[in-house]
Every structure is written in structure tokens, then in C-alpha cells.
Amino acid sequence: MAGKVEDLTVLVVENQSNMRTQLRNMLAMCGIVKLQAAQSAGAAIRKLRDETFDIILCEYHLGEGQDGQHFLEDIRSHHLIPLSTLFIMVTGERSYERVVGAAELAPNDYILKPFAPELLRTRLERALNKREAFMAAWQLVEAGNAADAIAACEEGEIKYPVYAIDFLRLRAELLATTGRAEEAQAVYEKVLERRAVPWARLGLAKALFMRKRFEDAEQLLVALLNESDEYLDAWDWLAKTREAVGALKEAREALEKASSLSPHTLRRMRHIGEVSLELGDLESAEKTLNEVVRRAKYSDFRDPEDHVRLVKAQLGVGAADRASATIRDLEKSMQGLPKTELCKALSSAMVFTQQGDKSRATEAAERAVSLLDSRLGATTNLKKDLAKVCIEHKLDSQAADVVMDIMRHAADDAAVDDITKMLGDLGRPELGASLAQQMKSEVKDMMGEGARMAQRGDYEGAVTHMLEAVRRMPGNTMVTYNAALALLKYIEHSGWDAHYAEQARGLIERIQRSDPGNPKLGALHLYFDGLAKRFGARAAK
């Protein structure tokens, strides 16, 4: 077994006390004694916030509306565990192989119950040996060094042929997340030439989506789901693909199918509620969002905005009394969270508006505007609702502030135009046109001045100017791109600067999260990695 068994740390996540005891005994027979146990996903998450484990051994059915796959998705997506932490699922579900076959976030291994200690030891040895093979690539990924991680995958395919297909998978995922969708597509196609594995077909569909080939992506996803409707991530990507072309009703159908297969995933339920609101199906939205609020109340990842969405649906069906009760629940169950007061103020403004209490609605709307802060991470939809309330109560100055905040976080001119249309629908087209023109002029002027500074050789001035532009327009992809470019040009001409390199890496990752299909993203990654190699340096992660 790779590494010393006695030094390994294990977290057992199992809701049944007798099974926890059995797993403890089996692990002790394998030589592992440094272990802790958690009886729920929530308890496990609290432990993972405080320390790192080598292995997580998790039961698939955790009881009380929880399952191990959802738990895995939560801890991976919120970066609570490093790639080197091995996640092994324990399940009695014979169909689990199909469930995980096309999963984006799959466990390192799974074991079907019942099993003997000898089998557990064999599977642990297999997982640990694989971890040793992948450790170099994983460390490069976590250091933010995607280019060398991709190279390490190529080397791994040759050095460890038994894991060749797994290295191909990691390489394709890295290419996709660094904006090199066409190269990722080629790798997935190479895998599919060898074996028709579901995850490669899903990956190919994602690569096509990133290249905005939505029809091709949808056809591939539908074909995959026709073979097995248990591929949950394929349903999610089918919904996303349909949303991209405006087919909201069909997108909701895909999400509802996935939710029927895995009813405990709050992220998916929340998405169904949001799409229902957008479709104007307020009764369905209320039913779904009420369940989201109920289930999320004790979640480590609960969000007060769920209550705002529920209030919106309840007011839409004329249930102001239920909306008021939701606000009381928001105040009680979300107490102390950063967004709670903002969400309470906005929800109150909406309820008072429907009740015809103009004075209290105006007061609540003004309070909500005063609480709006970029550090809270409020969604664009929440800000739109706040802008609507302000316009309804003729709070033009506050409405303009909120709309400008939305526009400053907008990814591009198309997103700005969408906000402008919303204001037109609210009877204020002149306000929308004026603010949009102001925003577009600001972007054009700031990027133009940054470019002129760089052309004059004032690379440090260009950096200062473009970082200020990012501060003022943090969501604008072109501003973010040009700020990253200014930082890299400074490094190219003035030498490696660790602080500037770290800022550039952060901006590139911001683009990666918000616009992974951006055609310029791959070149930006290569520029960064080329400079790091040229100067023999690497930004700290």
C-alpha cells in the first residue's frame, strides 16, 4: 500500500451507529486507527472545515433527505477537501454504477455492500496506489499551474498505462476549464474511440456547449439519456443547454426528471423554482421554493435569497399572509447570515407594496438599498427585484444606483441591454438608455486609456488604471480580461512580480468561472504559463 497505513486519517460518514462500528472495526483490521466518524453530512462538513483527511468513507443513503453523492458534490464544489483526499462511497445500490457513470464529480471508488474486511483493504490499496500516481498532477492543479498539470497528465498516460483513461479524463477537464474547449473535445473523442464511457460523452457535450454548438450538445445528451435516464449530470447539462437557447419549459422538464431521481439536491430544486418564476408558473414556483426553504433551513450552505424567491412566488399568487410568514421565518432561521437583513428589507418592501402600504414599502426599499454591498454577493435577480421596487415607488436615485450596480457587474453589452429592456418594460426606457450609455462609455473609455498607457510603455500605469476599472466594473468580462492582460504585459517587460502574478491568476480564474467558453481564455492561460516558465516562477495558490 502506498504510504504508511498507520499514518492515514479516515473520516467515516454513516448515519447508522451499528454500521459506523462495523466500519471502525474493519478499518482497524486494515491497520487504520486514526479515524473519526460523523452521523450526517452536516456533521462531516463541520469536521472538514477544521481538518483534512486522507480518506472519506461515506454511506450513500445518509437518511433525513441526504445522500452521499450530494455530500460529495457539496464538499468538492465548495473546495472543502483537496484532490488528494480519497472519497469512497459505500452503497447497497446495485444501480449506483449507472448513477455515477456520467457524474462530473465521481468518488474515487465505491464498494457494494455487504463486503468483508479483506475487500475493503484491497479497495483502499487500489485507491491509494492510484492517488500516488496522480499526486503530481493534482498538486499542480491545486497550485493553479494548469499547463504543467496537463503535461503531467500526458506523462501519466505513458508512465501509468493502467490509469491512462483516467489521465485522459483529467486532461480533458483541465483543457475545458482553461478555455481550450476545442482541444478538450479532441481528447473526449479520443477516449470514445477506445471505449464508449458515459462520462466522456458528457464531457464532449460540455465541450460543444462551451463552443456554443447547443444543438449538437443537446443531441448528444438526449442520446446518452436514452441509454440510461439515471445520468443526473446529463439531465442538468441538458437543462442548461435548453436554457441557453431560451427553451425554459423544456429545461424545467429536464431538471424535474433529475430531481425525481435525486430528490435531495437543493441546488437542483432551487433551479427548478427559479425557472418556474421566470416562466410565470407561480403556483409551481411556490410549491418548489417552499420545499427548498424547508430543507435548506439547517444546511451549511443555506441562502437567505431562497426566502426572497418564495416571497415573490407567494405574492404572485396573492398570498400576502403566507409571504409575511416567510419573512418571519427568514428573520428567525437565517439570523446572523450576511445577506439576511438585505433579504428581509427587500421582501418586506415587496409585501408592503402589495398591501398598499406605500410609506412602509418606501422605507423598506430605502433600507434595502442602503444594505446593498458588493461583498454580500447578492445575485443579479435580487438586485433586479430591488430596482423594480424602487421604480414602483419613484425612488429614481436609488433605482439608478441599483441599476448601475447591476450594469457594473454585467458580463458584456448584451447583459447591459437586458437590464435596459427590463427598465423599458417597467415604463422607464429613458432611464435604461441613459444608464446603459453611461456604462458603455465608461467601459470604452477605461479600456481605451489602459491600452494607450501600455502602448506608451507605461505598463505600471496601465495596471493601476485597469485594476481600478475592475474595482468599478467587477463583472465585466472584457474589463477583467484587459486587466489580466495589463498585469501580464507588465511582467513580460519588467520581470516577474509575485503579487502581480497572483492578481493576474485571480482575474483569469474569475473569467474561467463566469465565462468558461470565452475564446480568449485559453490564450490568456498560455500567456501566463509561458511567463511563469520564462522567469522560472509560479504564483502562489
Side-chain angles (χ1 to χ4, degrees):
M1 187 182 291
K4 293 183 179 180
V5 173
E6 60 270 22
D7 292 333
L8 294 174
T9 55
V10 178
L11 174 63
V12 173
V13 187
E14 167 61 68
N15 65 313
Q16 299 291 333
S17 59
N18 60 336
M19 191 61 191
R20 285 199 301 274
T21 301
Q22 286 183 41
L23 289 172
R24 278 179 179 272
N25 292 338
M26 286 185 181
L27 289 166
M29 293 174 70
C30 294
I32 298 173
V33 294
K34 295 180 180 178
L35 60 90
Q36 296 186 41
Q39 63 181 11
S40 68
I45 286 168
R46 287 186 283 279
K47 288 181 179 292
L48 291 169
R49 292 190 193 279
D50 294 331
E51 57 186 300
T52 300
F53 295 85
D54 292 302
I55 299 167
I56 297 173
L57 202 60
C58 181
E59 164 63 37
Y60 181 62
H61 290 292
L62 291 172
E64 298 182 359
Q66 303 176 86
D67 68 54
Q69 185 63 32
H70 184 205
F71 170 59
L72 170 60
E73 290 173 3
D74 273 344
I75 61 177
R76 288 284 190 207
S77 60
H78 288 88
H79 307 291
L80 292 182
I81 59 174
L83 292 170
S84 58
T85 292
L86 301 175
F87 192 104
I88 300 176
M89 197 79 76
V90 176
T91 178
E93 295 282 345
R94 299 288 159 179
S95 63
Y96 182 69
E97 184 176 5
R98 290 198 301 276
V99 173
V100 79
E104 290 185 88
L105 294 172
N108 297 93
D109 202 353
Y110 65 93
I111 306 176
L112 290 174
K113 295 189 291 187
F115 56 87
E118 293 78 12
L119 177 63
L120 177 60
R121 181 181 180 88
T122 298
R123 301 300 275 275
L124 290 175
E125 288 175 347
R126 186 169 76 179
L128 288 167
N129 286 331
K130 186 174 180 180
R131 180 175 77 166
E132 186 176 29
F134 274 82
M135 189 64 78
W138 287 344
Q139 288 174 341
L140 289 165
V141 171
E142 292 184 332
N145 190 346
D148 286 347
I150 290 168
C153 289
E154 293 173 329
E155 292 171 8
E157 292 165 34
I158 300 169
K159 186 176 180 180
Y160 303 101
V162 67
Y163 304 131
I165 201 161
D166 300 291
F167 277 111
L168 281 167
R169 180 176 189 173
L170 179 57
R171 176 153 66 98
E173 289 170 352
L174 289 169
L175 288 167
T177 56
T178 54
R180 297 159 67 180
E182 191 169 352
E183 294 174 71
Q185 179 182 335
V187 175
Y188 285 123
E189 289 170 343
K190 180 180 179 180
V191 172
L192 291 169
E193 287 173 5
R194 299 184 183 185
R195 195 192 314 169
V197 286
W199 60 258
R201 295 169 70 186
L202 177 63
L204 179 56
K206 289 163 56 181
L208 292 168
F209 178 93
M210 290 174 63
R211 299 182 64 195
K212 303 193 185 304
R213 291 173 54 182
F214 302 125
E215 185 176 346
D216 291 339
E218 181 175 11
Q219 288 177 359
L220 192 56
L221 291 164
V222 169
L224 179 59
L225 289 164
N226 282 339
E227 293 181 12
S228 174
D229 64 1
E230 295 183 65
Y231 296 143
L232 295 176
D233 287 329
W235 284 114
D236 288 333
W237 273 93
L238 180 59
K240 189 173 182 178
T241 302
R242 288 172 170 172
E243 277 189 277
V245 296
L248 295 182
K249 185 177 179 181
E250 293 78 7
R252 183 173 65 172
E253 289 172 357
L255 290 167
E256 287 173 339
K257 177 62 179 178
S259 190
S260 70
L261 295 168
S262 178
H264 309 312
T265 306
L266 283 174
R267 164 185 54 80
R268 191 176 292 118
M269 289 181 65
R270 180 181 292 122
H271 196 175
I272 292 170
E274 290 170 339
V275 174
S276 296
L277 279 175
E278 199 167 348
L279 283 168
D281 185 356
L282 300 173
E283 290 184 0
S284 295
E286 181 186 8
K287 180 180 178 181
T288 301
L289 292 168
N290 194 56
E291 187 65 11
V292 170
V293 165
R294 186 186 72 80
R295 293 191 184 190
K297 196 173 295 184
Y298 306 106
S299 168
D300 287 78
F301 307 111
R302 62 192 186 277
D303 185 350
E305 287 198 36
D306 288 331
H307 284 75
V308 180
R309 298 181 190 101
L310 178 56
V311 165
K312 189 176 177 180
Q314 290 167 330
L315 293 176
V317 297
D321 55 338
R322 294 202 295 271
S324 296
T326 297
I327 295 174
R328 291 193 293 273
D329 182 73
L330 164 64
E331 191 172 16
K332 179 181 177 182
S333 63
M334 300 287 161
Q335 186 176 14
L337 294 179
K339 281 194 285 187
T340 297
E341 288 303 313
L342 168 62
C343 291
K344 177 188 171 186
L346 173 56
S347 298
S348 299
M350 293 192 294
V351 170
F352 292 141
T353 297
Q354 180 141 324
Q355 292 173 337
D357 192 337
K358 179 175 171 48
S359 175
R360 295 176 76 186
T362 301
E363 182 182 350
E366 289 177 329
R367 173 163 170 72
V369 173
S370 72
L371 290 167
L372 189 62
D373 187 312
S374 60
R375 291 170 295 183
L376 295 177
T379 65
T380 297
N381 283 337
L382 182 138
K383 295 174 188 177
K384 285 182 177 179
D385 290 334
L386 179 53
K388 290 175 184 176
V389 170
C390 289
I391 287 171
E392 190 163 353
H393 293 284
K394 297 181 170 53
L395 299 172
D396 286 4
S397 175
Q398 291 89 336
D401 288 343
V402 175
V403 171
M404 280 302 290
D405 182 82
I406 297 172
M407 289 183 173
R408 291 185 195 283
H409 286 79
D412 50 30
D413 284 351
V416 171
D417 291 340
D418 181 61
I419 309 303
T420 306
K421 182 181 181 300
M422 181 195 82
L423 293 174
D425 294 341
L426 292 170
R428 296 302 306 274
E430 79 293 342
L431 178 61
S434 172
L435 294 175
Q437 183 58 45
Q438 180 184 335
M439 186 70 240
K440 290 175 182 178
S441 294
E442 276 189 43
V443 172
K444 183 179 178 181
D445 291 346
M446 294 203 78
M447 290 204 302
E449 180 59 23
R452 285 189 290 274
M453 286 180 170
Q455 287 168 358
R456 294 195 301 265
D458 184 6
Y459 299 109
E460 188 161 12
V463 165
T464 301
H465 182 81
M466 290 310 302
L467 289 179
E468 172 61 18
V470 169
R471 188 190 68 77
R472 295 178 62 182
M473 290 162 274
N476 189 287
T477 302
M478 282 305 298
V479 168
T480 306
Y481 171 83
N482 280 280
L485 198 61
L487 286 158
L488 297 180
K489 282 188 177 295
Y490 174 89
I491 292 171
E492 180 181 10
H493 291 88
S494 304
W496 188 262
D497 183 298
H499 178 61
Y500 277 6
E502 178 65 11
Q503 286 181 294
R505 186 189 59 77
L507 293 173
I508 293 169
E509 289 186 351
R510 186 186 298 185
I511 300 170
Q512 195 168 294
R513 289 191 299 270
S514 63
D515 187 16
N518 190 304
K520 296 182 178 180
L521 183 57
L524 204 57
H525 269 285
L526 292 173
Y527 190 11
F528 181 98
D529 291 320
L531 290 172
K533 287 180 179 177
R534 173 180 163 186
F535 291 105
R538 168 58 55 181
K541 181 73 173 174

